[in-house]
Amino acid sequence: MTESIAPGVGGNVYIPYNERTGGESVVYFTRALTPEGLLKAYDQVSDVLTGKVAVKLHTGEPHGPNIIPRPWVKELMGKRLENGVIVETNTYYEGGRHNTEVHRKTIQENGWTFAPVDIMDAEGTTMLPVHGGKWFEEMSMGKSLLGYDSFLALTHFKGHSKGGFGGANKNIGIGCADGQVGKKMIHTTPGSSDMWDISEEEFMERMTESAKAAVDHFGRSIAFVNAMRNMSVSCDCEGVEAQPVVTPDVGILSSLDMLAIDQACVDIIYAMPPDVRHDMVERIESRHGLRQLTYMAELGMGNVRYKIIDLDNDGKEITAAEIAAHVGDAWIDDGQGHYAD
């Protein structure tokens, strides 16, 4: 199917907001990088999450330093998601999560013991259709994904060695594909001896088509929360080998639009001063990661335009540039939107 297909271009070119067209989605924002902040962001999008909820997050390689803090997730699961199950899949590469046995040990070691954790490909795989894709007609996913009524993508936004950045699209596209079939479909040209030979725009498109299969499966019963903290240019897959964190913490965003929330996170990064954003932007552009966003748009997966609602400031609208302007400043949560002098 892929012999005559060419990937798109422009994955290393950032498109400013005023050059984008189309509708606008709503993205919510809080600066509170705390359990309370996570609850605040989650509550804005929680109405669509009913029945048995799959909570897809990155549980990390052994002792990974940058994953979403477990106490935050424990409070979220305990107070809001009694029917929630943390879901993961095994990895394509060898390491602390490459098969179910070692993955279970890593989950215990990393402290994910307060809620059930479902390794979705432990009992096999299932094929989900990819509507409108050019690389795939279907994608191999962890089989037990089919047992959930709704889906929360709880994402640690950060860099990524192949994707440039890892947002909700990566969390779902790579994270729901099973370890040995689906991930291979995304990463490796059939017959290649190099398991990582697919890169740049083609990789972004394959990953995005995988995400689309899962997103389409859940329809309107899916929500997205991105935590912008401990943002190494490395993915959490790299565990203790991740590059040092140099990008400042931002806050937590939530939305019902996967494209809009990932686009907003990228826009906040690009709005930071050049010396502050340098490492993350270099990682994104050198991998042509911006193709994730334009391809999501081409596939009709959301809007590249949005309005951000400031949950810390009476629901006022705020821009990515305004958020970036105060990254690192002390926020006084007095209900009047003040920063410390």
Side-chain angles (χ1 to χ4, degrees):
M1 177 181 175
T2 61
E3 290 183 1
S4 61
I5 297 173
V9 297
N12 59 340
V13 178
Y14 177 70
I15 301 172
Y17 193 95
N18 61 7
E19 296 180 17
R20 304 174 203 160
T21 59
E24 285 187 343
S25 293
V26 177
V27 176
Y28 301 95
F29 171 71
T30 175
R31 299 157 189 80
L33 286 162
T34 62
E36 294 75 23
L38 179 57
L39 292 175
K40 185 189 293 188
Y42 168 83
D43 285 344
Q44 312 309 310
V45 297
S46 62
D47 285 351
V48 303
L49 301 174
T50 59
K52 187 178 180 182
V53 183
V55 181
K56 176 64 188 73
L57 56 87
H58 201 307
T59 54
E61 289 293 322
H63 308 292
N66 297 325
I67 57 178
I68 293 177
R70 290 167 292 280
W72 297 13
V73 182
K74 182 177 181 179
E75 187 149 341
L76 175 67
M77 301 291 285
K79 292 186 175 181
R80 299 290 194 274
L81 286 162
E82 293 182 359
N83 294 322
V85 177
I86 296 171
V87 300
E88 272 278 32
T89 55
N90 293 319
T91 59
Y92 184 33
Y93 59 85
E94 289 198 11
R97 300 183 298 139
H98 71 279
N99 64 46
T100 300
E101 181 180 1
V102 299
H103 199 165
R104 285 283 177 206
K105 291 179 181 177
T106 298
I107 286 167
Q108 291 286 320
E109 192 174 346
N110 281 354
W112 302 102
T113 57
F114 52 83
V117 181
D118 176 12
I119 299 175
M120 294 187 291
D121 53 346
E123 301 298 330
T125 66
T126 188
M127 300 300 290
L128 293 183
V130 178
H131 301 294
K134 67 181 181 182
W135 299 102
F136 305 119
E137 295 179 355
E138 56 185 5
M139 173 53 60
S140 184
M141 300 276 180
K143 184 177 181 179
S144 65
L145 183 69
L146 302 178
Y148 296 92
D149 302 301
S150 54
F151 190 102
L152 172 65
L154 178 55
T155 303
H156 172 216
F157 186 92
K158 67 281 184 187
H160 191 267
S161 60
K162 294 291 286 187
F165 70 91
N169 185 47
K170 181 268 172 188
N171 186 17
I172 297 173
I174 302 296
C176 291
D178 71 276
Q180 295 306 306
V181 181
K183 289 182 174 68
K184 185 175 183 179
M185 292 168 67
I186 298 167
H187 283 286
T188 310
T189 302
S192 173
S193 60
D194 178 3
M195 65 189 293
W196 309 112
D197 76 312
I198 296 174
S199 299
E200 299 186 345
E201 281 85 356
E202 181 177 342
F203 174 75
M204 309 309 157
E205 293 173 3
R206 287 172 176 260
M207 176 171 61
T208 301
E209 289 187 16
S210 177
K212 189 175 193 299
V215 171
D216 286 352
H217 174 74
F218 286 99
R220 296 184 180 274
S221 299
I222 187 168
F224 310 92
V225 176
N226 285 6
M228 298 184 74
R229 67 175 290 279
N230 282 23
M231 292 181 288
S232 169
V233 299
S234 303
C235 177
D236 294 334
C237 300
E238 297 179 50
V240 295
E241 301 300 322
Q243 293 295 310
V245 173
V246 296
T247 305
D249 291 347
V250 174
I252 303 175
L253 297 87
S254 61
S255 184
L256 297 177
D257 183 327
M258 183 172 75
L259 171 52
I261 193 172
D262 276 2
Q263 180 75 69
C265 290
V266 169
D267 288 343
I268 292 168
I269 296 292
Y270 271 82
M272 292 177 182
D275 59 326
V276 176
R277 71 180 184 234
H278 174 272
D279 286 19
M280 189 66 73
V281 167
E282 190 279 334
R283 176 55 57 101
I284 292 170
E285 294 184 354
S286 66
R287 271 60 170 182
H288 294 220
L290 297 167
R291 181 58 179 154
Q292 291 187 54
L293 303 170
T294 56
Y295 196 52
M296 276 192 270
E298 288 174 22
L299 291 175
M301 296 173 67
N303 292 318
V304 292
R305 293 168 56 86
Y306 52 81
K307 59 180 180 179
I308 302 176
I309 303 301
D310 188 346
L311 300 177
D312 305 326
N313 200 6
D314 299 323
K316 294 180 180 178
E317 193 169 337
I318 190 172
T319 66
E322 289 169 334
I323 292 171
H326 289 287
V327 165
D329 292 350
W331 172 260
I332 302 173
D333 189 6
D334 61 359
Q336 298 183 39
H338 291 156
Y339 290 92
D341 294 330

